[in-house]
């Protein structure tokens, strides 16, 4: 056998987004781009801000010796200093640059953190639904992802998290604004989660981390904000990137920040830096560390995502599809309507949508049967033009 069986199995189980992506290519070839309603991918369609493009040109034109060389595995000090400013502002506590590690996107950051903290058989609890890749990021490092159902409105359910806790729990992983629901977890719920983990620590002697995966932190609607984690729980880590807010997903630039009051912070940071190295990332891309060090706070107008959220909810209302209204990010999580034969199967319904040239991702991959995800980082025209297709698909379902 030339490929490891567990990889074959993992590939088979995580093919939903790839399947939608491939179906999209085929349909677009046949019917033209404008006649396919592709809501499958979370690829931001805003261009990076002009400030980012200008700095890219400036750095590309630089003749400074060593610009493209290796650097310490944690990243350039000036990039870490810029992130220290960003994270300190967001968290409301001062986070020194030595507690920041530059990473290859949030995905690379999560893998480095998991590598650093997981022992074989350890568990990471995640409120469900969740970003499907988390399963693989955990198993990559000998861990297991344990989903804990959220409430009906997708807010944190502290009881399900409590029930999932055990002596194997290495961390609780939260993602807010959430992919796929767009939910922002409230300040009160984050505090409750912290209290619950403190109680668990007293009982078991093992303190789980809280890891906040925050690539969508800046994309929020109607003055909503994302509550800081560092002031409420010491064993906490923030992982983030510039993939979504600065529309740079292909450039693989992100960072990890560790709570300055965590007692074993130096050991943890050293382990994450080492993991970043031995996973083969070595260091985050040099060029884009330079870029974001200068542009991390470039102004971005996210109002077009709000317009598109509102356009898509209008379409779904017309088609009688129930959804959770997102408070941030750019995903709509929708309930599969009951079909004529009583079915609410998400795979069958996504196949039904595909017949009407609508591409969506079944909720199974996010740990939620009976639901599907639409990514609305597509043009408003695509959204409004999809109205009749949604109505017809539901009518014939
Ligand atoms: C919740 C979540 N976390 C992490 C990532 C990975 O982000 P990055 O491209 O910065 O690695 C994504 C990408 O879609 C995501 O949705």
């Amino acid at each position: 056998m030339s490929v490891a069986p567990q990889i074959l199995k993992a590939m088979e189980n995580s093919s939903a987004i790839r399947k939608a992506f491939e179906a999209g290519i085929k349909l677009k070839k046949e019917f033209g781009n404008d006649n396919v309603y592709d809501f499958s991918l979370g690829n931001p369609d805003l261009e990076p801000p002009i400030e980012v493009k200008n700095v890219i040109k400036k750095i590309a034109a630089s003749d400074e010796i060593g610009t493209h060389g290796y650097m310490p595995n944690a990243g350039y000090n000036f990039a870490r200093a810029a992130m220290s400013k960003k994270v300190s502002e967001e968290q409301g506590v001062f986070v020194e640059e030595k507690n920041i590690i530059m990473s290859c996107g949030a995905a690379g950051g999560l893998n480095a953190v998991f590598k650093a903290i997981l022992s074989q058989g350890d568990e990471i609890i995640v409120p469900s639904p969740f970003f499907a890749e988390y399963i693989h990021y955990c198993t990559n490092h000998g861990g297991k992802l344990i989903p804990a159902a959220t409430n009906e409105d997708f807010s944190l359910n502290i009881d399900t998290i409590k029930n999932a806790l055990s002596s194997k729990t290495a961390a609780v992983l939260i993602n807010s604004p959430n992919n796929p629901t767009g939910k922002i977890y409230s300040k009160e719920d984050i505090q409750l989660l912290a209290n619950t983990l403190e109680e668990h620590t007293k009982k078991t002697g093992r303190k789980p981390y809280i890891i906040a995966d925050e690539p969508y932190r800046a994309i929020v609607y109607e003055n909503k904000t994302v509550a800081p984690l560092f002031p409420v729980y010491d064993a906490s880590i923030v992982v983030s990137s510039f993939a979504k807010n600065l529309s740079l997903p292909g450039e693989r630039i992100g960072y990890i920040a560790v709570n300055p009051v965590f007692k074993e912070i130096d050991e943890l940071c050293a382990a994450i830096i080492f993991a970043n190295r031995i996973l083969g990332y070595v260091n985050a891309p040099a060029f884009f560390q330079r870029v974001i060090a200068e542009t991390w706070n470039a102004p971005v107008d996210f109002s077009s995502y709000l317009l598109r959220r509102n356009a898509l909810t209008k379409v779904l209302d017309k088609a009688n599809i129930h959804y959770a209204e997102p408070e941030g990010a750019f995903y709509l999580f929708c309930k599969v309507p009951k079909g004529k034969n009583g079915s609410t199967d998400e795979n069958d319904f996504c196949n039904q949508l595909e017949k009407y040239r609508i591409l969506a991702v079944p909720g199974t991959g996010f740990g939620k049967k009976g639901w599907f995800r639409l990514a609305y980082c597509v043009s408003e025209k695509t959204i409004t033009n999809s109205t009749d297709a949604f109505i017809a698909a539901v009518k014939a379902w």
Side-chain angles (χ1 to χ4, degrees):
M1 179 161 293
S2 58
V3 173
Q6 70 273 17
I7 283 291
L8 286 178
K9 192 162 167 234
M11 284 165 69
E12 204 179 297
N13 291 344
S14 71
S15 60
I17 294 184
R18 201 184 55 227
K19 186 176 156 280
F21 180 68
E22 278 161 14
I25 293 174
K26 204 166 140 232
L27 284 172
K28 282 169 195 168
K29 222 181 209 172
E30 196 176 340
F31 296 101
N33 281 354
D34 286 348
N35 298 311
V36 178
Y37 315 113
D38 188 351
F39 299 104
S40 63
L41 273 189
N43 205 1
D45 68 332
L46 299 181
E47 272 300 286
I50 186 71
E51 289 83 353
V52 170
K53 292 190 170 180
N54 286 341
V55 172
I56 289 172
K57 286 180 201 154
K58 186 184 86 177
I59 297 168
S62 163
D63 284 327
E64 203 180 317
I65 304 289
T67 296
H68 308 287
Y70 287 127
M71 86 266 329
N73 301 116
Y76 289 124
N77 282 341
F78 60 80
R80 298 168 81 193
M83 296 306 96
S84 140
K85 222 168 158 201
K86 177 178 190 287
V87 177
S88 300
E89 272 176 25
E90 290 170 355
Q91 295 293 324
V93 295
F94 180 59
V95 182
E96 282 180 73
E97 65 188 67
K98 76 176 177 62
N99 303 333
I100 305 275
I101 297 121
M102 302 306 297
S103 66
C104 293
L110 289 168
N111 272 280
V113 170
F114 292 175
K115 178 84 178 165
I117 66 167
L118 288 176
S119 298
Q120 193 69 35
D122 271 354
E123 296 178 347
I124 293 195
I125 297 172
V126 67
S128 169
F130 56 87
F131 177 50
E133 300 296 276
Y134 290 158
I135 295 176
H136 308 297
Y137 301 167
C138 279
T139 51
N140 281 349
H141 309 294
K144 188 171 176 208
L145 194 72
I146 307 289
T150 48
N151 294 316
E152 210 154 288
D153 64 354
F154 298 120
S155 59
L156 287 186
N157 182 327
I158 300 299
D159 288 333
T160 61
I161 295 175
K162 225 183 237 176
N163 289 339
L165 283 166
S166 79
S167 57
K168 292 191 212 158
T169 308
V172 176
L173 172 61
I174 55 174
N175 165 227
S176 167
N178 182 265
N179 174 9
T181 65
K183 188 74 189 170
I184 297 175
Y185 301 141
S186 72
K187 191 174 169 194
E188 292 73 24
D189 281 351
I190 300 292
Q191 181 68 60
L192 273 178
L193 173 63
N195 298 349
T196 303
L197 296 190
E198 295 289 4
E199 277 168 33
H200 172 78
T201 308
K202 271 191 209 139
K203 264 193 263 163
T204 64
R206 179 170 187 182
K207 185 161 214 169
Y209 290 100
I210 301 180
I211 303 168
D213 175 29
E214 301 196 332
Y216 302 99
R217 171 180 265 276
I219 307 175
V220 291
Y221 306 128
E222 290 144 352
N223 300 322
K224 294 262 174 4
T225 52
V226 178
L229 175 60
F230 286 177
V232 298
Y233 193 70
D234 58 354
S236 54
I237 303 169
V238 167
V239 179
S240 192
S241 79
F242 297 91
K244 312 293 177 173
N245 62 335
L246 296 184
S247 300
L248 296 170
E251 304 299 352
R252 314 308 306 134
I253 187 70
Y255 61 88
I256 300 150
V258 178
N259 192 334
V261 302
F262 181 54
K263 257 203 322 245
E264 287 128 88
I265 187 164
D266 290 340
E267 191 181 35
L268 176 62
C269 285
I272 297 171
I273 293 166
F274 180 67
N276 202 36
R277 177 183 127 201
I278 65 169
L279 284 170
Y281 300 129
V282 182
N283 54 251
F287 197 103
F288 270 81
Q289 286 191 55
R290 293 179 188 282
V291 173
I292 56 96
E294 290 191 46
T295 61
W296 61 272
N297 56 357
V300 183
D301 181 7
F302 295 115
S303 60
S304 71
Y305 286 136
L306 179 61
L307 287 177
R308 289 180 274 174
R309 180 198 76 175
N310 293 343
L312 187 54
T313 53
K314 228 182 246 170
V315 171
L316 296 171
D317 287 341
K318 283 185 188 153
N320 270 328
I321 293 175
H322 171 79
Y323 52 84
E325 186 163 86
E327 298 169 308
F330 36 61
Y331 305 104
L332 258 161
F333 209 47
C334 310
K335 200 166 188 175
V336 175
K338 209 176 209 172
K340 287 193 185 87
N341 65 359
S343 169
T344 55
D345 185 280
E346 62 285 348
N347 291 304
D348 290 348
F349 188 67
C350 286
N351 288 337
Q352 165 80 353
L353 289 176
E354 200 180 302
K355 286 187 206 149
Y356 293 80
R357 303 196 297 272
I358 299 167
L359 300 172
V361 182
T364 347
F366 306 100
K368 185 88 177 157
K369 281 172 158 291
W371 289 71
F372 63 100
R373 189 195 77 175
L374 301 171
Y376 53 87
C377 32
V378 297
S379 76
E380 217 174 326
K381 192 169 140 216
T382 301
I383 294 171
T384 45
N385 286 356
S386 70
T387 310
D388 291 345
F390 270 109
I391 292 172
V394 173
K395 216 173 193 178
W397 167 235

